[in-house]
Amino acid sequence: MQNHPSSPAAGAGPLAPLVAPTITVCSPPSGPAGVTVTLTGTGFTGVTSIAFGAVLSTSFTVSSATRITAVAPAGTGTVQITVTGPSGTSNGIDFTYTTTAPVITTPAPAQGPVAGGNTVTLTGTALTGATAVRFGATAASFTAVSATQVTAIAPPGAAGAVSVTITTPGGTSAGVTYTYLAAATLTGLTPAQGTAAGGNTVTLTGTALTGATAVRFGSAAATSFTVVSGTQISAVPPSGAAGAVPVVVTTPAGATAGDVFYYYLPAPALTSAVPGSGPVAGSTAVVLSGSGLVTATAVRFGAAPAASFTVVSDVRVDATAPAGAAGTVAVTVVTPAGTSNGLGYTYVTVPVLTSLAPNAGPPAGGNTVTLAGSGLTTTTSVLFGGVPAAFAVLSDSVITATAPAGAAGPVGVTAVTPGGTTAGLPYTRVAAPGI
């Protein structure tokens, strides 16, 4: 029995012949490896491969039966592009590989930290098909964005300038300069303290401060700052709460360690001044109590500076009153954080006694003696020969005292006030006749 070719089923028409694809246009007709080429033609449905000469494209997209886009693989010279599908292989169409060398015009930014890791955008021409980006001799990871742009991650490097290059099938570009910046350090502040209101000028010293982009006091940005040199910045602190905050300078190389502190000082406050009065001649030792006193730079009695003062602690300052005119003045303490509230301190004139009435009495005492004079309002004691007497201040010029018992004979009577002690007036204890 002989075998015969199968016949078409009854009623079926003849099978349509398979037609190989054709390419009519290649756009662009030339370019570097990696360029995307658009092929226009017919019969592209089901295409399985695209060859540039003998090399297959590793990336292509069939958009329709008449359009394909393909990425040119590595190659040189002029080659024939062919398309292969279920119906066969197309005609060939010329594609010419160009060897234009890449060019970099700008890196942005043009500097960064020695630790690397920052993204650098390289702009130029003929960057398609980039195969390598190097910072000096060190390869960087990169992404080819377009024929005019590549983004690269700067690798770590030593402080200083290096040449950045891009390599494509067209060659290696000339280098552009990228500078690795040493990490900034902050070593000191002058002054290292100020008021909670801020606004004063602070000089920051350190290294590698050139190009500083920010200065922060704690979490708040400096009101303003000026880079004076690579080792100095002038900054104005913002307002802040009392206490210590780290000062941090940020540069393109990163931020300083935050191990230098600025102290916002609490405003000084006074709660007491003891004693609250003294002689116009001054020299009275006055204990000032309060808070925020540890950085005191001055103590004033009215407008006059204290004769001397000693900071004992944050809550106490010992001061010596200067000479002053009779009357009350405000005592204040001055610190870098400001001037305290004022407490009254009264300068008292030296008291004077002009008469005693009577100026004699029995040794048993008990009689009332009227003392007349001036400056007696603040009398703290009346003494009969050094012996305290009960007394009452009636006015600035009159005191009544009860004479204490004592031996017969004369004694000096004095009145003591914060302004001093009067000169004594004689008072005589007279024994009764016959005793």
Side-chain angles (χ1 to χ4, degrees):
M1 182 179 221
Q2 292 182 330
N3 293 324
H4 297 282
S6 300
S7 299
L15 293 174
L18 294 175
V19 178
T22 60
I23 305 174
T24 56
V25 177
C26 170
S27 178
S30 62
V35 70
T36 298
V37 175
T38 299
L39 303 175
T40 304
T42 60
F44 291 161
T45 302
V47 162
T48 57
S49 66
I50 300 175
F52 285 66
V55 182
L56 295 178
S57 171
T58 58
S59 176
F60 67 90
T61 301
V62 179
S63 302
S64 68
T66 60
R67 186 174 184 273
I68 294 175
T69 57
V71 176
T76 59
T78 299
V79 298
Q80 292 278 298
I81 301 177
T82 57
V83 175
T84 300
S87 57
T89 298
S90 72
N91 60 301
I93 192 166
D94 286 346
F95 177 81
T96 301
Y97 281 99
T98 59
T99 57
T100 302
V103 174
I104 307 174
T105 54
T106 58
Q111 57 189 17
V114 293
N118 55 309
T119 299
V120 179
T121 299
L122 303 171
T123 303
T125 58
L127 305 183
T128 301
T131 57
V133 175
R134 289 185 172 84
F135 285 65
T138 306
S141 62
F142 68 93
T143 301
V145 178
S146 68
T148 60
Q149 188 178 102
V150 170
T151 59
I153 305 300
V162 297
S163 182
V164 180
T165 59
I166 292 180
T167 300
T168 72
T172 298
S173 70
V176 291
T177 300
Y178 178 85
T179 303
Y180 281 105
L181 300 175
T185 64
L186 200 57
T187 56
L189 308 173
T190 305
Q193 58 192 20
T195 68
N200 55 310
T201 298
V202 177
T203 298
L204 287 63
T205 54
T207 61
L209 302 179
T210 302
T213 56
V215 176
R216 303 189 77 80
F217 287 72
S219 61
T223 301
S224 64
F225 71 92
T226 301
V227 178
V228 179
S229 68
T231 60
Q232 188 177 106
I233 292 176
S234 176
V236 176
S239 59
V245 296
V247 179
V248 175
V249 176
T250 300
T251 73
T256 57
D259 53 0
V260 174
F261 292 85
Y262 180 81
Y263 295 87
Y264 283 104
L265 299 172
L270 289 178
T271 55
S272 68
V274 179
S277 59
V280 292
S283 298
T284 302
V286 180
V287 175
L288 303 173
S289 299
S291 60
L293 308 180
V294 73
T295 56
T297 57
V299 175
R300 295 192 174 96
F301 285 69
S308 65
F309 71 92
T310 300
V311 176
V312 178
S313 68
D314 192 57
V315 297
R316 175 176 168 177
V317 172
D318 291 348
T320 301
T328 300
V329 297
V331 181
T332 55
V333 174
V334 180
T335 76
T339 299
S340 73
N341 57 305
L343 294 180
Y345 178 84
T346 302
Y347 280 103
V348 181
T349 56
V350 178
V352 175
L353 285 181
T354 56
S355 66
L356 302 176
N359 60 5
N367 54 310
T368 298
V369 178
T370 300
L371 289 67
S374 62
L376 304 179
T377 299
T378 56
T379 297
T380 56
S381 62
V382 174
L383 304 175
F384 281 68
V387 178
F391 69 93
V393 176
L394 301 184
S395 69
D396 190 61
S397 58
V398 178
I399 294 174
T400 57
T402 301
V411 294
V413 177
T414 56
V416 180
T417 75
T421 300
T422 65
L425 291 181
Y427 177 84
T428 304
R429 290 191 180 93
V430 181
I435 298 177

